[in-house]
Amino acid sequence: MTNDSSPDPKQNFILAALSATEYNRLLPELKLVQLPLGWTISESGDHVNFVHFPTSGIVSLVYSLENGSTSSTALVGNEGIVGISIFMGGESLPTSTEVQSVGYAYRLSRKVMKQEFSLGGKLQHVALLFTQGLLAQTSQVAVCNQHHNLDQQICRWLLMTLDRLHDNEVVITQARIGEFLGIRRESVSLVLGQLEAEKLIIRVRGRITVLKRRELEKRVCECYAAVKDEYERLLPSHRKSK
């Protein structure tokens, strides 16, 4: 349950899309949790026991290789759900889920989510649409990493992050960006330095402030627009929030 000081669950687009009947049925089962920076919600291969509906912040889906290298395959903010394996039937995912930007989420137990999903109502419908969007994002990120230069990749990552923060500032270190993108910290520093020299961003103590978003949008590859357009096509509440 929530109180006056808690974030509104309907700040999450999936919960906002539910009918009044569905929402009121779920509300007593939703538990507010913090998303502290760096928290690993679930490890690769874990049997996931909860879905999380972020109302703020960002969760990154991260794949880790045997040599310790990592790469983020997708970002989830208040447009979606963390823990899709619960209702997709796979029980676990090969990626871990890590908090990239602090925020809050509403947690729902595995049992209740599966019960609600089995009813075939609005939650099932919107959850599947979100999952399709997530698959599109994962596929496009893979294409981007293979075919586009680091400048374009970092601009894409910055814009996707800002979209989910609804802000123009990101609190993150260059080393962490490198981990999420699977590139060297020095390469991140070089690209961000160029963006700063062109007065598109400012870097101060682990914070990146975007000054000229439209200029970033001009230099980013088509992958950013492809993912954004797919989310807006699939999720009406996401489109109306823009």
Side-chain angles (χ1 to χ4, degrees):
M1 294 293 289
T2 64
N3 56 50
D4 291 342
S5 63
S6 301
D8 184 351
K10 291 186 179 181
Q11 289 176 12
N12 176 275
F13 297 155
I14 304 297
L15 295 177
L18 301 183
S19 69
T21 299
E22 287 176 303
Y23 179 77
N24 290 330
R25 185 165 61 234
L26 283 183
L27 189 57
E29 305 293 338
L30 295 171
K31 180 181 178 181
L32 181 66
V33 295
Q34 286 187 312
L35 299 177
L37 185 65
W39 178 39
T40 298
I41 300 175
S42 63
E43 297 277 6
S44 169
D46 278 357
H47 187 77
V48 180
N49 292 314
F50 299 95
V51 291
H52 290 78
F53 299 90
T55 58
S56 58
I58 298 175
V59 176
S60 185
L61 277 60
V62 179
Y63 193 93
S64 300
L65 298 176
E66 291 181 356
N67 66 4
S69 299
T70 61
S71 184
S72 174
T73 61
L75 304 178
V76 181
N78 68 332
E79 82 284 356
I81 309 170
V82 178
I84 64 170
S85 60
I86 286 180
F87 56 83
M88 293 301 291
E91 308 303 330
S92 65
L93 288 172
T95 53
S96 61
T97 49
E98 301 177 18
V99 177
Q100 173 182 308
S101 298
V102 298
Y104 288 90
Y106 281 92
R107 189 176 77 183
L108 189 67
S109 74
R110 173 190 193 87
K111 178 181 177 181
V112 174
M113 182 64 187
K114 293 189 79 167
Q115 287 176 341
E116 192 67 31
F117 192 83
S118 69
L119 297 177
K122 187 70 172 180
L123 179 59
Q124 182 197 81
H125 178 66
V126 181
L128 289 176
L129 289 176
F130 164 74
T131 301
Q132 183 175 335
L134 191 65
L135 289 172
Q137 182 186 165
T138 302
S139 300
Q140 200 71 44
V141 166
V143 170
C144 188
N145 292 344
Q146 181 69 27
H147 294 285
H148 295 133
N149 61 45
L150 294 184
D151 184 283
Q152 292 172 316
Q153 291 179 42
I154 289 175
C155 286
R156 170 187 55 76
W157 179 86
L158 269 174
L159 290 168
M160 291 176 66
T161 297
L162 294 178
D163 285 347
R164 287 159 177 79
L165 292 177
H166 310 288
D167 199 355
N168 68 336
E169 183 179 84
V170 183
V171 179
I172 194 168
T173 64
Q174 294 176 164
R176 194 64 173 143
I177 295 174
E179 291 174 7
F180 282 131
L181 294 179
I183 58 180
R184 297 169 60 246
R185 179 193 178 280
E186 291 78 7
S187 298
V188 176
S189 181
L190 186 64
V191 172
L192 293 180
Q194 182 60 39
L195 295 177
E196 189 166 37
E198 296 179 29
K199 302 187 185 304
L200 304 186
I201 67 169
I202 294 177
R203 294 176 294 172
V204 180
R205 297 178 182 176
R207 294 176 183 267
I208 301 171
T209 303
V210 173
L211 302 177
K212 298 179 181 178
R213 180 187 172 107
R214 289 188 178 181
E215 293 302 315
L216 287 185
E217 292 174 345
K218 289 178 181 178
R219 69 194 294 157
V220 76
C221 55
E222 68 265 28
C223 296
Y224 169 67
V227 173
K228 184 175 181 180
D229 290 348
E230 186 69 355
Y231 272 88
E232 292 179 352
R233 181 182 73 85
L234 293 168
L235 301 169
S237 60
H238 185 267
R239 182 171 62 249
K240 290 174 184 176
S241 72
K242 301 300 182 182

